[in-house]
Amino acid sequence: MGRCRHATWNTRTVVEAWKKKEKKMGENSEEQQQWSRETVPRVMKIIITSSKLRLPQRDIISLLFVSSSLIRTLVTLPSLWLVLDFHEMNNAGDRLISARSLPRYHNVKQIILEFAQGIEDKHLSIIRNQFSGSLKNLEHLNLNGCQKISDNGIEDITKASPSLKIFSIYWNVRVTDVGISHLVNNCKHIVDLNLSECKGISDKSLQMISESYPHLESLDITRYVILKCVKITDGGLQHVIIKCAGLKSLNLYALSSFTDGVYKKLSLLTDLRSLDLCGAQNLSDEGLFSIAKCTNIRTLNLTWCVRVNDAGVIAIAQGCTNLEFLSLFGIVGVTDKCLEALSKLCSNTLTTLDVNGCIGIKKRSREELLQLFPYVTCFKVHS
């Protein structure tokens, strides 16, 4: 929050200073013309190229109302208009349509509508029918929490966005396998896909995804208890594991219905960097023996994997020696033996370790833990 307030304060300061400066110089003075021609472009270049000074898109847009000189400069800088961010905004559908009518947004690469209000299928239909070709360069689309978007909306927006690489539609209860079929038919370059909480999709969707996106790098199919879904089974996940061998991130949070048999096949994902198995009630030590063959894993969430014991965690320590994040939260079957193995084999890389609720691991002071794991910056133990 502090960073957002600081960015807004910077924008307000720029606006006020600009108005005072131009008023002092006079609208048609030679000094004002030089200011517009030379100083404005230099300042804008600093804002664009400096990560410390760069302002959010909403703040840059407010600069358009300062003066005609700023407008002329800003609209000629393509890199400023590659993102449309309507995150949590009202009337997002109308805003999106208005923005698409502006020439400066014709090369937009990212649209963020996460938890935006007033975005419906009809708006995506207008985008497709009236602004055909305007989204040809779109690579990243975030529709998280847009509950009024259905399969029809997915069809329209994906037909208009053939270059999509990142697609996220977290917490949508209306999209079904039909919507996913539109996605795979219209967008051939997806590498990052978030279908978390989309309870309308089934194994059929995972099969289509695996057949269409062999180069998929990230997949999130999280299910929380409130939207527990039994439409995704071992068969669907197995399709993904076998055909998307290049996966680097896989989130199976709260998908408790998978069996140990499919977890053992995760060893095929040799490029895996991040794996979330929180709540994997059927995961056993044997499953972890196979996962330990994914030697590139950096982040591993084993929270509430209740069948896991020391042997499985020790296997992970031996195989995944680049581990940076590990959660064993709530696993009562692990003891100091696994902690000792982790200290011996992963202490140079671990930065986050959660053994909260692991009653078999004795309580230690922060100083004692730092002796075992000198680079850990976040401990969670016995709250």
Side-chain angles (χ1 to χ4, degrees):
M1 286 296 291
R3 183 168 56 188
C4 293
R5 287 196 297 268
H6 180 65
T8 303
W9 179 86
N10 278 339
T11 305
R12 187 165 58 248
T13 302
V14 171
V15 169
E16 292 173 355
W18 227 288
K19 287 182 176 179
K20 288 180 180 178
K21 178 69 174 177
E22 294 201 337
K23 183 177 180 181
K24 181 178 180 181
M25 291 186 299
E27 291 185 4
N28 299 312
S29 67
E30 183 178 343
E31 183 182 7
Q32 196 272 345
Q33 292 176 15
Q34 184 177 6
W35 162 267
S36 299
R37 186 174 59 253
E38 298 177 5
T39 306
V40 172
R42 285 204 302 269
V43 173
M44 286 299 100
K45 185 176 181 180
I46 291 173
I47 293 175
I48 295 168
T49 59
S50 172
S51 59
K52 293 182 179 179
L53 296 177
R54 188 177 300 155
L55 301 177
Q57 184 200 30
R58 298 181 191 185
D59 290 332
I60 291 175
I61 289 174
S62 68
L63 294 177
L64 292 172
F65 300 96
V66 176
S67 71
S68 58
S69 61
L70 262 181
I71 293 176
R72 286 193 298 270
T73 300
L74 290 171
V75 297
T76 59
L77 297 172
S79 59
L80 285 180
W81 313 109
L82 299 179
V83 178
L84 277 170
D85 186 357
F86 300 114
H87 176 241
E88 295 184 347
M89 282 192 180
N90 293 323
N91 302 317
D94 293 336
R95 291 173 186 267
L96 178 62
I97 292 171
S98 296
R100 295 310 305 136
S101 66
L102 299 173
R104 63 175 176 266
Y105 284 116
H106 283 187
N107 291 308
V108 67
K109 289 191 175 182
Q110 182 177 3
I111 294 179
I112 302 171
L113 290 161
E114 187 169 45
F115 295 106
Q117 302 300 312
I119 178 72
E120 303 177 19
D121 285 347
K122 64 181 181 181
H123 298 107
L124 302 186
S125 177
I126 292 173
I127 291 292
R128 174 190 171 189
N129 294 324
Q130 296 186 15
F131 303 100
S132 179
S134 66
L135 295 181
K136 63 181 183 301
N137 295 317
L138 187 66
E139 296 180 355
H140 184 170
L141 178 60
N142 184 329
L143 294 173
N144 290 344
C146 296
Q147 294 287 6
K148 293 185 179 181
I149 301 299
S150 71
D151 293 333
N152 293 331
I154 299 301
E155 179 180 19
D156 285 324
I157 195 64
T158 56
K159 280 190 174 180
S161 314
S163 299
L164 268 185
K165 294 181 180 178
I166 302 173
F167 182 72
S168 183
I169 193 166
Y170 158 76
W171 198 31
N172 183 297
V173 298
R174 300 182 66 189
V175 171
T176 69
D177 294 333
V178 174
I180 301 306
S181 70
H182 294 316
L183 174 69
V184 300
N185 289 330
N186 298 325
C187 304
K188 304 298 184 182
H189 309 292
I190 297 291
V191 294
D192 189 321
L193 187 56
N194 185 347
L195 302 176
S196 175
E197 292 297 339
C198 295
K199 70 173 185 178
I201 68 169
S202 70
D203 282 347
K204 184 177 180 180
S205 285
L206 293 189
Q207 183 174 356
M208 289 187 290
I209 289 165
S210 65
E211 292 174 350
S212 302
Y213 304 132
H215 302 296
L216 192 67
E217 295 181 2
S218 178
L219 178 64
D220 187 341
I221 51 174
T222 291
R223 292 292 184 278
Y224 294 106
V225 176
I226 193 171
L227 288 177
K228 189 172 181 181
C229 175
V230 295
K231 294 181 179 179
I232 294 180
T233 69
D234 282 12
L237 181 58
Q238 185 168 305
H239 278 296
V240 172
I241 293 173
I242 293 174
K243 296 191 177 182
C244 302
L247 271 175
K248 295 180 180 178
S249 177
L250 181 60
N251 193 335
L252 305 177
Y253 187 103
L255 278 160
S256 59
S257 59
F258 292 136
T259 70
D260 209 34
V262 76
Y263 291 132
K264 292 177 183 178
K265 294 185 182 298
L266 289 172
S267 61
L268 298 174
L269 302 179
T270 55
D271 290 331
L272 204 59
R273 303 289 196 277
S274 176
L275 179 61
D276 194 330
L277 295 173
C278 175
Q281 297 179 10
N282 297 317
L283 176 66
S284 71
D285 287 340
E286 290 187 5
L288 284 184
F289 295 160
S290 295
I291 293 171
K293 296 176 183 178
C294 302
T295 57
N296 290 309
I297 287 181
R298 266 67 169 175
T299 298
L300 181 60
N301 187 356
L302 298 177
T303 297
W304 295 118
C305 293
V306 293
R307 292 182 60 195
V308 167
N309 295 292
D310 282 335
V313 179
I314 291 172
I316 291 295
Q318 293 170 337
C320 306
T321 54
N322 294 312
L323 206 59
E324 298 173 3
F325 173 102
L326 177 64
S327 175
L328 304 175
F329 182 101
I331 303 179
V332 298
V334 295
T335 69
D336 284 335
K337 289 182 180 180
C338 75
L339 206 65
E340 292 166 2
L342 288 166
S343 174
K344 180 179 179 180
L345 298 165
C346 302
S347 61
N348 289 330
T349 58
L350 265 175
T351 58
T352 300
L353 179 63
D354 189 348
V355 291
N356 195 12
C358 300
I359 58 177
I361 295 178
K362 72 176 183 180
K363 188 173 183 178
R364 291 175 170 81
S365 67
R366 182 174 180 82
E367 290 71 24
E368 291 174 319
L369 286 168
L370 283 172
Q371 289 180 352
L372 292 173
F373 305 99
Y375 299 105
V376 168
T377 57
C378 181
F379 286 113
K380 294 182 181 180
V381 52
H382 295 290
S383 64

